[in-house]
Amino acid sequence: MKKIFMSLLVGAAVISSGAASAAISQWSVGAAASYSPVVYTETDSNKVVIPTLGYEGEHVFLRGFSAGARLYPIGTPQNVIFRLLYDPRTLKPEDSDNADIKLLDERKASILGAITYQVLTPVGVFEVGAGTDVGNKHNGLYAEAAWRLPIRMNGWGITPAIGYSYNSEEINNHLYGVSAAESARTSGRISAFEADWDGQYFVGLSGYFHITDRVRVTGGFRYMNLEGGIESSPIIEHTTISTGNIGISYLF
């Protein structure tokens, strides 16, 4: 199917400095929807709607598509964060209008486990991290560096972000590679393609707005630019990707 790499900020992170943040302990329930345009050749855009459960605690958090635990309390200037992330990037060949794409293997979604080192500064949040597939779909590795600037006002907030993600050949081949067996099924109309280590730059913007003290709307947008050898994959239609998500939740 197509690539949906949502920003995973459906349950917008509460990142701030100071002791007040350490007192947070809040549950929420709601629903979220995401949209990602075409990535694979002649394959429709991807739309997903899910129920969400959120929790922001001193150490533990749940944010819809992700969960994690901080080594130190929230708001600590330097922290180590352990995360589990749902990676929904998929290709379902039967959903394509291209007869050759229909002959390829399915690319399934997975779960990523990651560890992140986070630094809170007056000019934003800096994070570097690495992770791997714990869902046993491709067993690839990735690393990511990002800068975010949380801007919190009374009842609303936005967080612009910029960063770079670097993926191992296992991830890139899972998503964009074409094996010799797959190429043979198409009688060579889709050439075999083996991806190497490569990555993508991204910029994003996430935010939230309180309709009432208990009802909050969240949303996010992320633009990515695939680079390097990935651009030569014979099964992708675009090398630039824009994804978006929106959600609504009730806070307890």
Side-chain angles (χ1 to χ4, degrees):
M1 212 175 149
K2 38 276 89 188
K3 179 176 178 183
I4 164 179
F5 199 170
M6 63 177 50
S7 60
L8 300 176
L9 293 173
V10 171
V14 181
I15 303 174
S16 59
S17 57
S21 347
I24 290 175
S25 181
Q26 188 174 68
W27 287 92
S28 64
V29 295
S34 69
Y35 170 82
S36 181
V38 174
V39 171
Y40 295 107
T41 302
E42 294 184 45
T43 308
D44 293 338
S45 58
N46 195 23
K47 305 174 187 69
V48 177
V49 179
I50 65 163
T52 58
L53 174 66
Y55 175 72
E56 286 292 339
E58 188 173 2
H59 290 276
V60 176
F61 60 87
L62 302 172
R63 296 174 190 154
F65 291 100
S66 69
R70 308 174 186 89
L71 186 60
Y72 303 108
I74 186 173
T76 302
Q78 297 185 55
N79 219 329
V80 177
I81 305 172
F82 303 92
R83 305 176 189 267
L84 287 176
L85 314 170
Y86 174 64
D87 182 358
R89 291 175 290 181
T90 60
L91 167 62
K92 294 184 178 179
E94 67 273 15
D95 290 343
S96 179
D97 294 328
N98 184 288
D100 290 326
I101 294 292
K102 288 179 181 290
L103 299 175
L104 301 182
D105 296 332
E106 181 179 0
R107 274 69 163 170
K108 295 182 179 180
S110 188
I111 303 294
L112 304 177
I115 181 171
T116 302
Y117 174 66
Q118 181 188 80
V119 180
L120 307 183
T121 77
V123 293
V125 179
F126 294 88
E127 293 183 341
V128 292
T132 186
D133 169 31
V134 296
N136 198 33
K137 295 299 187 296
H138 50 70
N139 299 315
L141 303 171
Y142 78 95
E144 185 170 291
W147 168 84
R148 298 179 176 84
L149 182 62
I151 301 170
R152 305 293 184 243
M153 306 299 288
N154 187 23
W156 63 275
I158 58 172
T159 302
I162 186 170
Y164 182 78
S165 181
Y166 195 63
N167 299 328
S168 72
E169 58 186 20
E170 289 86 358
I171 293 179
N172 288 333
N173 275 312
H174 175 74
L175 295 172
Y176 314 115
V178 180
S179 69
E182 288 176 303
S183 178
R185 282 182 228 144
T186 70
S187 300
R189 289 184 296 274
I190 296 181
S191 301
F193 175 77
E194 185 172 351
D196 203 347
W197 286 73
D198 266 313
Q200 63 265 336
Y201 295 95
F202 63 86
V203 294
L205 180 69
S206 62
Y208 68 89
F209 176 78
H210 280 269
I211 299 175
T212 70
D213 289 343
R214 297 289 185 182
V215 180
R216 180 177 64 199
V217 175
T218 61
F221 171 83
R222 191 169 187 173
Y223 170 86
M224 292 166 287
N225 185 6
L226 301 178
E227 65 165 17
I230 297 174
E231 295 178 311
S232 301
S233 171
I235 62 174
I236 62 176
E237 192 166 303
H238 300 288
T239 59
T240 59
I241 307 160
S242 299
T243 64
N245 64 80
I246 189 168
I248 187 168
S249 58
Y250 181 83
L251 284 62
F252 296 95

